[in-house]
Amino acid sequence: MRRTLFAFLVSVLFSSAALAQAPAGVPVFAITPVQSQIKFAVDASVSIAGTFDQWNASLTFGSPDVSTGVLDVEIQAASVDTGSGMKNSKLKGSDFFDVKNNPLISFKSTKIVQTGPTTFEVDGNFTIRGVTKTEKLKLTVSGAGTGSGTIAGTMAFDRKQYGMNSGIPFIKIADRVEVTFNLNATRVSGPPVKLD
């Protein structure tokens, strides 16, 4: 039988004992920053890659139906960390993230589709620099039967479509930016789910 994303995530993230004690309500998964990471990288003549140190994310379902799932990610753009003060300053400036006028980078899903036993595609609205466009996340969920789980994924976007048309002096930068993440999830509310 076809397994919904919700049922799969429940089997991945929680033991049967935890499910039996789940409170009534809407199923909600909190993504905990501890041991989780959101990273980015862009091909360039000098390495440009880093992490975001401040962000929040949640995965909420209105029912066990996969179509009711909503993944929300909100990143503080000023928390970018490349390991270089000069690169951080340039990325925070008006040519790139423009954190003064657009402090948040966000992704809110609009559709979740299971593509394999442990893989999913998530369409959603991605906003950076105040520009919103539809992008796609590719997810892999792991940790079945362990009582905890990880959601790993990637998303790529063209920086110039979001108004990041400038470069950095003496550095050649590609247009394609890849975002990767490795998230640990914890159920904070929701009913038990019977698995097939």
Side-chain angles (χ1 to χ4, degrees):
M1 296 178 70
R2 184 175 176 273
R3 203 178 217 186
T4 66
L5 171 62
F6 177 72
F8 181 79
L9 283 175
V10 170
S11 71
V12 165
L13 300 176
F14 309 104
S15 66
S16 58
L19 288 175
Q21 299 171 10
V26 177
V28 176
F29 294 84
I31 311 300
T32 57
V34 177
Q35 296 180 337
S36 295
Q37 221 176 27
I38 298 177
K39 301 189 290 186
F40 70 93
V42 60
D43 286 337
S45 56
V46 173
S47 175
I48 300 178
T51 62
F52 291 98
D53 296 332
Q54 296 176 20
W55 51 269
N56 293 298
S58 66
L59 180 61
T60 306
F61 288 82
S63 79
D65 186 335
V66 66
S67 66
T68 67
V70 177
L71 175 65
D72 272 323
V73 181
E74 192 172 87
I75 299 167
Q76 298 291 329
S79 73
V80 63
D81 183 4
T82 64
S84 162
M86 186 275 292
K87 290 178 189 173
N88 292 350
S89 179
K90 187 66 177 173
L91 290 174
K92 292 176 189 180
S94 59
D95 289 339
F96 290 93
F97 298 159
D98 190 21
V99 300
K100 182 177 179 181
N101 298 307
N102 299 284
L104 298 178
I105 299 169
S106 65
F107 180 87
K108 183 167 185 173
S109 68
T110 56
K111 182 180 180 182
I112 298 176
V113 176
Q114 185 167 356
T115 56
T118 62
T119 58
F120 304 87
E121 287 188 350
V122 182
D123 293 335
N125 294 321
F126 177 63
T127 303
I128 187 168
R129 290 177 52 90
V131 178
T132 301
K133 293 186 178 296
T134 301
E135 300 288 356
K136 187 184 296 288
L137 293 176
K138 294 185 178 182
L139 305 178
T140 301
V141 180
S142 60
T146 65
S148 64
T150 337
I151 303 169
T154 60
M155 182 189 86
F157 67 93
D158 184 332
R159 66 185 178 91
K160 290 187 175 178
Q161 291 184 352
Y162 294 87
M164 291 181 271
N165 300 309
S166 297
I168 297 175
F170 311 111
I171 299 176
K172 185 176 180 180
I173 306 172
D175 296 343
R176 184 178 184 272
V177 179
E178 186 169 284
V179 179
T180 60
F181 56 91
N182 197 318
L183 307 177
N184 286 323
T186 302
R187 182 172 56 84
V188 295
S189 67
V193 174
K194 293 181 180 177
L195 303 178
D196 295 330

